Amino acid sequence: MKFKDAEHLLRMAFLFVAGLIVFVLLRNALVPRSFGQYGHYRGDALGEIKARPVAYAGHGTCETCHSDVLEVKDKGKHTHVACESCHGPLAKHADDPTAVQPEKLDTRVLCVRCHEANSAKPKSFPQVVSADHSAGLACNECHKPHTPVIEAEAKATGGKKK
Amino acid sequence: MPTFEGFMYPNEIELQWSVLIVLYPFLTGLVAGAFILASLERVFRVEAVKPTYRLALLTALAFLLVAPLPLQLHLGHPERSLEMYLTPHRSSAMAMFGFVYLWYLMAVLVLEIWLDYRRDIVMLAQSSTGWRRLLYRVLTLGSYNISEAALDLDNRVGWIITVIGIPSAFLLHGYVGFIFGSIKANPWWSTPLMPVVFLFSAMVSGIAAVMLIYMVVSRIRRTPIDMRCVDAVAKYLFYTFIIDFTLEMLDLIHRIYESDESFRSLDFMVHTRLFLSQVILQILLGTVTPILLLAVTQVFKLSEAVRKRIYSLAGSLTLIGILAMRWNVVIGGQLFSKSFLGYTTYKMGLWAREGLATAIVLMLLPIFILWVLVKILPPWPEKEKGLLSHAASAGD
């Protein structure tokens, strides 16, 4: 076999090698430096996420100023539901309460997020079919958001049975 | 919101894998099948199927080029798919797809086609004009050596590539089956038989497709169909089909006999929501009928015209059957709840990104690509080539 007869094969091989080199170079240029530092992700991402402004203040922070609400809430069934799971992220408000006012909540949207009936939820969790249960009324027309269980006297006066 | 009955978990109500994910195994199956048919000729030197050799290679290439498109259209961020090359994740079969695909495309198909066509490319580079000349010149890589010795070398290297190519084709499609077979949370998919079943159904569909394409192309070119070739291809189709059918039945019988906790649910599904696509389309129309039709051609001596008709009918039914099989695997596997207490429905959009129209375009695209490939690299056998290159240079 003469070299001449294999020349085209070598050219093709050269193309493949060139492709491979381009790939390796591209990979070097494109893969972020810190990739794989800790695992299959960019190590720097941790720092970047840490540097992001805090959005949620946390239950303990609300407590320092709104202990009255907390006292009320702790008596009701929502005692284990954190303030910000209903009021949304309020770190900015906690830093400067007068400048940043929390938005008013629409209970028609808020409460069904957790309480709309769904067969996948555990049976023990309180659920309602909102269309039947409230017929478009806002939930806080009858329920107090912080102490949601309606007491017997309220039941007698206004609340219809579910 | 799709309708469902019984108990579904919220994340099961809507199907995540659409009709495009049905197309994907169908397309790669055609690729693997067509390639394996071509390899038969090359490695086992089956002279009879030679007229389909190059056509099968080009068919494989045309379908392979389109195969990743349904996946891309399914992704919310298609551009991110390239990251599987940059930061490969070895513990995920899906993330390795890029390498399986690239290996098969570049190291097997493109190389094999190039080696096989090199003589034609060099000749066309000398005889054609205009942009075609430029294209062929690029394809020669600047080497015009088509001496006996050089071609002989090509032939030997090509043989090696084919030998590597067969396991690669198995890998490509076995891999697709593996993706489904390894999803242990889904009893409809999770079986080690899946890759094998996928492989054989791939061969069945690929062989049927090449047979049909060969007959249609001959018709368009007004050249007589080489019956010896079609007979041989049909015989292969028959045998592979029997193996494929046996495997699928084995899977079925195994499930029925095992009757594990998922069985009642799956059985119910097959008798209701999947009845049309599984029992009627896939098994009766798409498997049993073509096998019987092909059996008839093997047992009785039939005239050429009748055989041609039977082959066309059997081939078309086969393709429908295999497409239905992909549908039943992909869509069927998402219709029931993991609780085995509920069933949902799949609503295919028409103009949606993953809808019917897209699926049809993706099915036609490979045919169009094949047409272009055939124009650039005519696959006709030696004796007609002189005629053809003559016609091509006169025509353009």
Side-chain angles (χ1 to χ4, degrees):
Chain A
M1 192 181 80
K2 279 186 254 126
F3 167 75
K4 189 167 73 56
D5 294 326
E7 192 199 327
H8 59 280
L9 293 178
L10 289 177
R11 286 184 189 229
M12 189 49 121
F14 173 77
L15 264 190
F16 269 77
V17 172
L20 209 64
I21 291 173
V22 168
F23 171 74
V24 170
L25 291 180
L26 269 181
R27 186 165 186 268
N28 259 341
L30 290 177
V31 175
R33 285 281 145 258
S34 68
F35 186 89
Q37 192 178 348
Y38 307 112
H40 198 77
Y41 59 90
R42 206 160 43 86
D44 288 352
L46 294 183
E48 282 165 31
I49 294 167
K50 207 155 66 187
R52 269 153 67 171
V54 171
Y56 288 89
H59 209 264
T61 316
C62 314
E63 217 178 308
T64 53
C65 301
H66 294 289
S67 53
D68 51 332
V69 179
L70 189 76
E71 267 166 37
V72 174
K73 187 169 82 82
D74 275 351
K75 291 193 194 104
K77 283 276 187 180
H78 277 159
T79 173
H80 296 303
V81 184
C83 315
E84 286 167 300
S85 39
C86 290
H87 286 284
L90 283 179
K92 288 208 182 100
H93 163 74
D95 283 346
D96 190 350
T98 35
V100 183
Q101 283 285 323
E103 279 173 41
K104 285 268 174 252
L105 299 172
D106 181 356
T107 52
R108 262 172 289 226
V109 184
L110 172 70
C111 312
V112 290
R113 200 154 72 203
C114 295
H115 289 291
E116 189 66 67
N118 184 320
S119 48
K121 287 179 189 166
K123 291 271 176 292
S124 58
F125 186 79
Q127 312 167 38
V128 293
V129 178
S130 58
D132 300 339
H133 180 77
S134 70
L137 278 178
C139 311
N140 58 349
E141 295 274 339
C142 302
H143 297 273
K144 288 202 208 95
H146 298 145
T147 44
V149 175
I150 298 171
E151 303 303 333
E153 71 264 27
K155 225 191 270 180
T157 52
K160 66 172 184 194
K161 200 80 188 96
K162 47 168 176 153
Chain B
M1 180 115 152
T3 52
F4 64 94
E5 58 184 273
F7 183 99
M8 296 298 283
Y9 294 111
N11 58 334
E12 293 172 334
I13 292 172
E14 205 168 329
L15 269 67
Q16 300 304 316
W17 287 2
S18 65
V19 61
L20 295 194
I21 308 298
V22 174
L23 273 195
Y24 161 65
F26 184 64
L27 291 176
T28 49
L30 290 176
V31 175
F35 181 82
I36 290 169
L37 179 65
S39 313
L40 270 181
E41 191 273 328
R42 181 132 202 180
V43 176
F44 303 108
R45 300 188 203 286
V46 184
E47 277 304 310
V49 300
K50 192 155 189 170
T52 61
Y53 172 65
R54 287 178 153 189
L55 197 59
L57 283 184
L58 295 186
T59 306
L61 181 59
F63 280 93
L64 190 63
L65 288 176
V66 178
L69 287 188
L71 300 182
Q72 297 283 10
L73 283 164
H74 175 72
L75 294 177
H77 273 282
E79 78 285 357
R80 289 189 193 159
S81 66
L82 290 178
E83 290 184 13
M84 69 185 168
Y85 289 117
L86 299 178
T87 52
H89 206 306
R90 284 184 306 277
S91 63
S92 154
M94 248 184 221
M96 293 319 284
F97 168 72
F99 291 96
V100 175
Y101 177 81
L102 208 62
W103 164 264
Y104 188 69
L105 175 69
M106 297 311 296
V108 175
L109 257 190
V110 167
L111 258 193
E112 179 160 344
I113 292 178
W114 183 70
L115 285 173
D116 195 66
Y117 270 100
R118 224 176 54 77
R119 181 164 164 275
D120 305 43
I121 291 172
V122 169
M123 274 156 59
L124 284 164
Q126 284 156 348
S127 65
S128 56
T129 52
W131 65 268
R132 275 170 168 266
R133 185 185 180 80
L134 195 69
L135 177 72
Y136 292 126
R137 284 188 151 194
V138 171
L139 287 179
T140 60
L141 301 185
S143 163
Y144 290 75
N145 182 357
I146 48 172
S147 64
E148 274 300 302
L151 289 180
D152 185 54
L153 190 62
D154 285 354
N155 203 15
R156 269 184 286 155
V157 175
W159 188 84
I160 294 172
I161 289 176
T162 314
V163 171
I164 299 173
I166 295 177
S168 302
F170 276 55
L171 177 71
L172 176 75
H173 205 68
Y175 155 87
V176 178
F178 181 83
I179 292 271
F180 287 97
S182 60
I183 298 184
K184 62 175 168 231
N186 189 320
W188 187 246
W189 291 336
S190 176
T191 150
L193 261 186
M194 196 60 105
V196 192
V197 170
F198 260 57
L199 206 60
F200 275 91
S201 56
M203 281 156 68
V204 168
S205 67
I207 296 175
V210 171
M211 184 177 81
L212 284 180
I213 291 176
Y214 173 67
M215 292 204 284
V216 171
V217 165
S218 302
R219 183 131 228 214
I220 295 173
R221 293 177 61 231
R222 291 180 221 286
T223 49
I225 295 178
D226 180 344
M227 275 322 270
R228 204 167 66 94
C229 163
V230 183
D231 283 338
V233 174
K235 196 168 73 195
Y236 290 135
L237 179 59
F238 179 59
Y239 291 147
T240 19
F241 219 154
I242 287 181
I243 301 179
D244 177 44
F245 187 54
T246 315
L247 284 170
E248 282 185 35
M249 286 306 110
L250 175 63
D251 183 37
L252 193 72
I253 292 167
H254 189 256
R255 278 168 194 273
I256 295 174
Y257 185 76
E258 217 179 29
S259 275
D260 69 1
E261 70 276 13
S262 67
F263 181 70
R264 274 163 55 104
S265 175
L266 302 185
D267 187 50
F268 175 79
M269 190 170 70
V270 171
H271 283 96
T272 53
R273 296 188 182 214
L274 285 185
F275 190 75
L276 180 72
S277 60
Q278 176 116 8
V279 179
I280 306 284
L281 271 182
Q282 182 189 329
I283 298 181
L284 291 181
L285 214 63
T287 306
V288 176
T289 315
I291 287 184
L292 288 181
L293 283 174
L294 290 170
V296 167
T297 64
Q298 300 298 310
V299 176
F300 300 104
K301 275 213 171 328
L302 302 169
S303 75
E304 222 171 75
V306 175
R307 269 183 293 157
K308 267 190 226 163
R309 298 239 158 82
I310 292 186
Y311 291 156
S312 319
L313 182 63
S316 312
L317 287 179
T318 304
L319 288 183
I320 294 173
I322 300 288
L323 184 61
M325 181 244 172
R326 309 299 192 222
W327 174 279
N328 295 324
V329 168
V330 175
I331 302 294
Q334 303 173 81
L335 291 182
F336 62 95
S337 169
K338 179 85 173 85
S339 66
F340 306 132
L341 294 172
Y343 307 88
T344 185
T345 36
Y346 173 50
K347 261 213 156 111
M348 181 167 36
L350 181 58
W351 297 109
R353 186 171 70 164
E354 296 188 51
L356 183 64
T358 319
I360 292 175
V361 170
L362 285 179
M363 282 302 298
L364 295 179
L365 192 59
I367 311 272
F368 172 72
I369 295 181
L370 180 62
W371 177 75
V372 173
L373 283 176
V374 165
K375 286 272 162 211
I376 297 175
L377 301 170
W380 325 126
E382 301 287 316
K383 55 182 187 296
E384 297 167 46
K385 203 165 291 150
L387 253 170
L388 194 101
S389 58
H390 193 73
S393 52
D396 277 48

